[in-house]
Coordinates of all heavy atoms in Angstrom, one line a residue:
G165 N 40.2 181.6 -129.4 CA 40.8 180.3 -129.6 C 42.1 180.1 -129.1 O 42.7 179.0 -129.0
G166 N 42.7 181.2 -128.6 CA 44.1 181.1 -128.1 C 44.1 180.6 -126.6 O 43.2 180.8 -125.9
D167 N 45.3 180.1 -126.2 CA 45.4 179.5 -124.9 C 45.3 180.6 -123.8 O 44.9 180.4 -122.7 CB 46.8 178.8 -124.8 CG 46.9 177.6 -125.6 OD1 45.8 177.0 -126.0 OD2 48.0 177.2 -125.9
E168 N 45.7 181.9 -124.2 CA 45.7 182.9 -123.2 C 44.3 183.5 -122.9 O 44.1 184.1 -121.9 CB 46.6 184.1 -123.7 CG 46.0 184.9 -124.9 CD 46.3 184.2 -126.3 OE1 46.8 183.1 -126.3 OE2 46.0 184.8 -127.3
W169 N 43.3 183.1 -123.7 CA 42.0 183.6 -123.5 C 41.4 183.2 -122.1 O 40.7 184.0 -121.5 CB 41.1 183.1 -124.6 CG 39.6 183.6 -124.6 CD1 38.5 183.0 -124.2 CD2 39.2 184.9 -125.0 NE1 37.4 183.8 -124.3 CE2 37.8 185.0 -124.9 CE3 39.9 186.0 -125.6 CZ2 37.1 186.1 -125.2 CZ3 39.1 187.1 -125.9 CH2 37.7 187.2 -125.7
I170 N 41.7 182.0 -121.7 CA 41.2 181.5 -120.4 C 41.6 182.4 -119.3 O 40.8 182.7 -118.3 CB 41.6 180.1 -120.2 CG1 41.0 179.2 -121.2 CG2 41.2 179.6 -118.8 CD1 41.4 177.7 -121.1
G171 N 42.8 182.9 -119.3 CA 43.3 183.8 -118.3 C 43.0 185.2 -118.4 O 43.3 186.0 -117.5
F172 N 42.3 185.6 -119.5 CA 42.0 187.1 -119.6 C 40.8 187.4 -118.7 O 39.9 186.7 -118.5 CB 41.6 187.3 -121.1 CG 42.7 187.5 -122.0 CD1 42.4 187.7 -123.4 CD2 44.0 187.5 -121.6 CE1 43.5 187.9 -124.3 CE2 45.0 187.7 -122.5 CZ 44.8 187.9 -123.9
S173 N 40.9 188.7 -118.2 CA 39.7 189.2 -117.5 C 38.7 189.6 -118.5 O 38.9 189.6 -119.8 CB 40.2 190.5 -116.8 OG 40.6 191.5 -117.7
A174 N 37.5 189.9 -118.1 CA 36.4 190.4 -119.0 C 36.9 191.6 -119.8 O 36.6 191.8 -121.0 CB 35.1 190.6 -118.2
R175 N 37.5 192.5 -119.1 CA 38.0 193.7 -119.7 C 39.0 193.4 -120.8 O 38.9 194.0 -121.9 CB 38.6 194.7 -118.7 CG 39.1 196.0 -119.3 CD 39.8 196.9 -118.3 NE 39.0 197.2 -117.1 CZ 39.1 198.3 -116.4 NH1 40.0 199.2 -116.8 NH2 38.3 198.6 -115.4
Q176 N 39.9 192.5 -120.5 CA 40.9 192.2 -121.5 C 40.2 191.5 -122.8 O 40.6 191.7 -123.9 CB 41.9 191.2 -120.9 CG 42.9 191.9 -119.9 CD 43.8 190.9 -119.2 OE1 43.3 189.9 -118.8 NE2 45.1 191.2 -119.2
R177 N 39.2 190.7 -122.5 CA 38.5 190.0 -123.6 C 37.8 191.0 -124.5 O 37.8 190.9 -125.7 CB 37.5 189.0 -123.0 CG 38.2 187.9 -122.3 CD 37.2 186.8 -121.8 NE 37.9 185.8 -121.1 CZ 37.4 184.6 -120.6 NH1 36.1 184.4 -120.8 NH2 38.1 183.7 -120.0
V178 N 37.1 192.0 -123.9 CA 36.5 193.1 -124.7 C 37.5 193.9 -125.5 O 37.3 194.1 -126.7 CB 35.6 194.0 -123.8 CG1 35.1 195.2 -124.6 CG2 34.5 193.2 -123.2
L179 N 38.6 194.3 -124.9 CA 39.6 195.0 -125.5 C 40.2 194.2 -126.7 O 40.4 194.7 -127.8 CB 40.8 195.3 -124.6 CG 40.6 196.5 -123.6 CD1 41.7 196.5 -122.5 CD2 40.5 197.8 -124.3
T180 N 40.5 192.9 -126.5 CA 41.1 192.0 -127.5 C 40.1 192.0 -128.7 O 40.6 192.0 -129.9 CB 41.4 190.7 -126.9 OG1 42.3 190.8 -125.8 CG2 42.0 189.7 -128.0
F181 N 38.8 191.8 -128.4 CA 37.9 191.6 -129.5 C 37.8 192.9 -130.3 O 37.8 192.9 -131.5 CB 36.5 191.3 -129.0 CG 35.4 191.4 -130.0 CD1 35.2 190.2 -130.8 CD2 34.7 192.5 -130.2 CE1 34.2 190.3 -131.8 CE2 33.8 192.6 -131.3 CZ 33.5 191.4 -132.1
L182 N 37.7 194.1 -129.7 CA 37.6 195.3 -130.3 C 38.8 195.7 -131.2 O 38.6 196.1 -132.4 CB 37.3 196.5 -129.4 CG 35.9 196.4 -128.7 CD1 35.8 197.5 -127.6 CD2 34.8 196.5 -129.7
F183 N 40.0 195.4 -130.7 CA 41.2 195.7 -131.5 C 41.2 194.8 -132.7 O 41.5 195.2 -133.8 CB 42.4 195.5 -130.6 CG 42.7 196.6 -129.6 CD1 43.0 196.3 -128.3 CD2 42.7 197.9 -130.1 CE1 43.3 197.3 -127.4 CE2 43.0 198.9 -129.2 CZ 43.3 198.6 -127.8
A184 N 40.9 193.5 -132.5 CA 40.9 192.5 -133.6 C 39.8 192.8 -134.6 O 40.0 192.7 -135.8 CB 40.6 191.1 -133.0
F185 N 38.6 193.3 -134.1 CA 37.6 193.6 -135.1 C 38.0 194.8 -135.9 O 37.7 194.8 -137.2 CB 36.3 194.0 -134.3 CG 35.1 194.2 -135.3 CD1 34.2 193.2 -135.6 CD2 34.9 195.5 -135.7 CE1 33.2 193.4 -136.5 CE2 33.8 195.8 -136.6 CZ 33.0 194.7 -137.0
C186 N 38.6 195.8 -135.3 CA 38.9 197.0 -136.1 C 40.0 196.6 -137.1 O 40.1 197.1 -138.3 CB 39.4 198.1 -135.2 SG 38.1 198.9 -134.3
E187 N 40.9 195.7 -136.7 CA 42.0 195.3 -137.7 C 41.3 194.5 -138.8 O 41.7 194.7 -140.0 CB 43.0 194.4 -136.9 CG 44.1 193.8 -137.8 CD 44.9 194.8 -138.5 OE1 45.1 195.9 -137.9 OE2 45.5 194.5 -139.6
E188 N 40.4 193.5 -138.5 CA 39.8 192.7 -139.5 C 38.9 193.6 -140.4 O 38.8 193.4 -141.7 CB 38.9 191.7 -138.9 CG 38.1 190.8 -139.8 CD 38.9 190.0 -140.8 OE1 40.1 189.8 -140.5 OE2 38.3 189.5 -141.8
S189 N 38.3 194.7 -139.9 CA 37.4 195.5 -140.6 C 38.1 196.2 -141.8 O 37.4 196.7 -142.7 CB 36.7 196.5 -139.7 OG 37.6 197.6 -139.4
L190 N 39.4 196.3 -141.8 CA 40.1 197.0 -142.9 C 39.9 196.3 -144.2 O 39.9 196.9 -145.3 CB 41.6 197.1 -142.6 CG 42.0 197.9 -141.3 CD1 43.5 197.9 -141.2 CD2 41.4 199.3 -141.4
A191 N 39.7 195.0 -144.1 CA 39.4 194.2 -145.3 C 37.9 194.5 -145.8 O 37.6 194.1 -147.0 CB 39.6 192.7 -145.1
W192 N 37.1 195.0 -145.0 CA 35.7 195.3 -145.3 C 35.4 196.8 -145.2 O 34.2 197.2 -145.2 CB 34.8 194.6 -144.3 CG 34.8 193.1 -144.4 CD1 35.9 192.2 -144.0 CD2 33.8 192.2 -144.9 NE1 35.5 190.9 -144.3 CE2 34.3 190.9 -144.8 CE3 32.5 192.4 -145.4 CZ2 33.5 189.8 -145.2 CZ3 31.8 191.3 -145.8 CH2 32.3 190.0 -145.6
R193 N 36.4 197.6 -145.1 CA 36.1 199.0 -144.8 C 35.2 199.8 -145.8 O 34.3 200.5 -145.4 CB 37.4 199.8 -144.7 CG 37.3 201.2 -144.1 CD 38.6 201.8 -143.8 NE 38.5 203.2 -143.2 CZ 38.3 203.4 -141.9 NH1 38.2 202.5 -141.0 NH2 38.2 204.7 -141.5
S194 N 35.4 199.5 -147.1 CA 34.5 200.1 -148.0 C 33.0 199.7 -147.8 O 32.1 200.6 -147.9 CB 34.9 199.8 -149.5 OG 34.8 198.4 -149.7
L195 N 32.8 198.5 -147.5 CA 31.4 198.1 -147.2 C 30.9 198.6 -145.9 O 29.7 199.0 -145.8 CB 31.3 196.5 -147.2 CG 31.1 195.8 -148.5 CD1 30.9 194.3 -148.2 CD2 29.9 196.3 -149.2
L196 N 31.7 198.7 -144.9 CA 31.3 199.2 -143.6 C 31.0 200.7 -143.8 O 29.9 201.2 -143.2 CB 32.5 199.1 -142.6 CG 32.6 197.7 -141.9 CD1 33.9 197.6 -141.2 CD2 31.4 197.5 -140.9
L197 N 31.8 201.4 -144.5 CA 31.5 202.8 -144.8 C 30.1 203.0 -145.5 O 29.3 203.9 -145.2 CB 32.6 203.5 -145.6 CG 33.9 203.8 -144.8 CD1 35.0 204.0 -145.8 CD2 33.7 205.0 -143.9
L198 N 29.9 202.1 -146.5 CA 28.7 202.2 -147.3 C 27.5 201.8 -146.6 O 26.4 202.5 -146.7 CB 28.9 201.4 -148.6 CG 27.7 201.2 -149.5 CD1 27.5 202.6 -150.2 CD2 28.0 200.1 -150.5
R199 N 27.5 200.7 -145.8 CA 26.3 200.1 -145.3 C 26.1 200.3 -143.8 O 25.0 200.2 -143.3 CB 26.3 198.6 -145.7 CG 26.4 198.4 -147.1 CD 25.3 198.9 -147.9 NE 24.1 198.1 -147.6 CZ 22.8 198.5 -147.9 NH1 22.6 199.7 -148.5 NH2 21.8 197.7 -147.6
V200 N 27.2 200.4 -143.0 CA 27.1 200.6 -141.6 C 27.3 202.0 -141.2 O 26.5 202.5 -140.3 CB 28.1 199.6 -140.9 CG1 28.0 199.8 -139.4 CG2 27.8 198.2 -141.2
G201 N 28.3 202.6 -141.7 CA 28.6 204.0 -141.3 C 27.5 205.0 -141.6 O 27.3 206.0 -140.8
K202 N 26.7 204.7 -142.6 CA 25.7 205.7 -143.0 C 24.4 205.5 -142.1 O 23.5 206.4 -142.2 CB 25.3 205.5 -144.5 CG 26.4 206.0 -145.4 CD 26.0 205.9 -146.8 CE 27.1 206.4 -147.8 NZ 26.7 206.3 -149.2
C203 N 24.3 204.4 -141.4 CA 23.0 204.3 -140.6 C 23.2 204.6 -139.1 O 22.2 204.5 -138.4 CB 22.5 202.8 -140.8 SG 23.5 201.5 -140.3
G204 N 24.4 204.9 -138.7 CA 24.6 205.4 -137.3 C 24.6 204.3 -136.2 O 23.9 203.3 -136.4
P205 N 25.2 204.6 -135.1 CA 25.2 203.7 -133.9 C 23.9 203.2 -133.4 O 23.8 202.1 -132.9 CB 26.1 204.4 -132.9 CG 26.9 205.4 -133.7 CD 26.0 205.8 -134.8
L206 N 22.9 204.1 -133.4 CA 21.6 203.8 -132.8 C 20.6 203.1 -133.8 O 19.5 202.8 -133.4 CB 21.0 205.1 -132.3 CG 21.7 205.8 -131.2 CD1 21.0 207.1 -130.8 CD2 21.9 204.9 -129.9
S207 N 21.1 202.9 -135.0 CA 20.2 202.3 -136.0 C 19.9 200.9 -135.7 O 20.7 200.1 -135.3 CB 20.8 202.4 -137.4 OG 20.1 201.7 -138.4
R208 N 18.6 200.5 -136.0 CA 18.2 199.1 -135.9 C 17.8 198.6 -137.3 O 16.9 197.8 -137.4 CB 17.0 199.0 -135.0 CG 17.4 199.1 -133.5 CD 18.4 198.0 -133.1 NE 18.6 197.9 -131.6 CZ 19.5 198.6 -130.9 NH1 20.3 199.4 -131.6 NH2 19.6 198.4 -129.6
A209 N 18.5 199.1 -138.3 CA 18.2 198.7 -139.7 C 18.4 197.2 -139.8 O 19.3 196.6 -139.3 CB 19.1 199.5 -140.7
A210 N 17.5 196.6 -140.6 CA 17.5 195.2 -140.7 C 18.8 194.6 -141.3 O 19.2 193.5 -141.0 CB 16.3 194.8 -141.6
H211 N 19.4 195.4 -142.2 CA 20.6 194.8 -142.9 C 21.8 194.8 -142.0 O 22.8 194.1 -142.3 CB 20.9 195.6 -144.2 CG 21.4 197.0 -144.0 ND1 20.6 198.1 -143.8 CD2 22.7 197.5 -143.9 CE1 21.3 199.2 -143.6 NE2 22.5 198.9 -143.7
V212 N 21.8 195.5 -140.8 CA 22.9 195.4 -139.9 C 22.5 194.6 -138.6 O 23.3 194.6 -137.7 CB 23.4 196.8 -139.5 CG1 24.0 197.5 -140.7 CG2 22.3 197.6 -138.8

């Protein structure tokens, strides 16, 4: 939503998203640990 987004390269957009997601995830960390962390990166579990 920021004005700078238009000028970002694709790499910058991915970096910005990942940094922001990890920051936002601190508010959900207990749930992430409980429900996402336990099923692993390759999981296709329905709840994630």
